[in-house]
Amino acid sequence: QVQLVESGGGLVQAGGSLRLSCKASGRTFSYYAMGWFRQAPGKEREFVAAINWSGKSTYYADSVKGRFTISRDNAKNTVYLQMNSLKSEDTAVYYCAQKKYGGNWSADQGEYGYWGQGTQVTVSS
């Protein structure tokens, strides 16, 4: 079965940086697009960033564009989210996800069939 394990969350001051990692196992990683989503307290889970199977095409939510970078290493079965210039409103539990089918990125949560356990990111102001 597919397993996704996130790491790298923590507490950081506003303006700081963090890098999240998500290691996948269970099926051929390079076949599938990956995404990062987040859920803040009292809010619905929202899209953050997505990357296609090869890593050559990415897509970002407007709220993180220019500050966050998604990347992947297919040899390591790992997707990353580099987060710079963090703001207090970035505080959330961050989840990585793998599409059920296909290698093209999507911002639609319904297209993702596998989810990690989440990692907490807290940005203090």
Side-chain angles (χ1 to χ4, degrees), residues 8-121:
L11 174 65
V12 63
Q13 288 190 332
S17 298
L18 280 175
R19 188 176 84 152
L20 306 183
S21 300
C22 172
K23 186 168 178 63
S25 62
R27 61 178 187 170
T28 306
F29 180 72
S30 60
Y31 286 178
Y32 302 97
M34 300 293 295
W36 285 96
F37 296 80
R38 66 186 182 187
Q39 187 167 22
K43 295 188 176 182
E44 293 186 352
R45 189 166 60 190
E46 64 176 5
F47 169 77
V48 175
I51 190 166
N52 78 331
W53 66 275
S54 69
K56 293 183 179 180
S57 181
T58 58
Y59 182 68
Y60 297 91
D62 287 344
S63 58
V64 306
K65 202 173 296 182
R67 299 188 298 121
F68 291 11
T69 302
I70 187 171
S71 61
R72 66 190 294 160
D73 185 338
N74 286 343
K76 295 182 178 179
N77 290 353
T78 301
V79 62
Y80 304 97
L81 186 68
Q82 177 68 43
M83 305 185 294
N84 298 330
S85 302
L86 282 161
K87 306 175 181 180
S88 57
E89 50 262 45
D90 295 317
T91 295
V93 177
Y94 283 71
Y95 299 90
C96 73
Q98 188 176 76
K99 276 188 72 179
K100 288 181 281 192
Y101 309 110
N104 295 324
W105 57 254
S106 172
D108 181 353
Q109 296 187 43
E111 295 196 27
Y112 291 82
Y114 305 95
W115 295 82
Q117 81 285 357
T119 186
Q120 177 70 47
V121 171

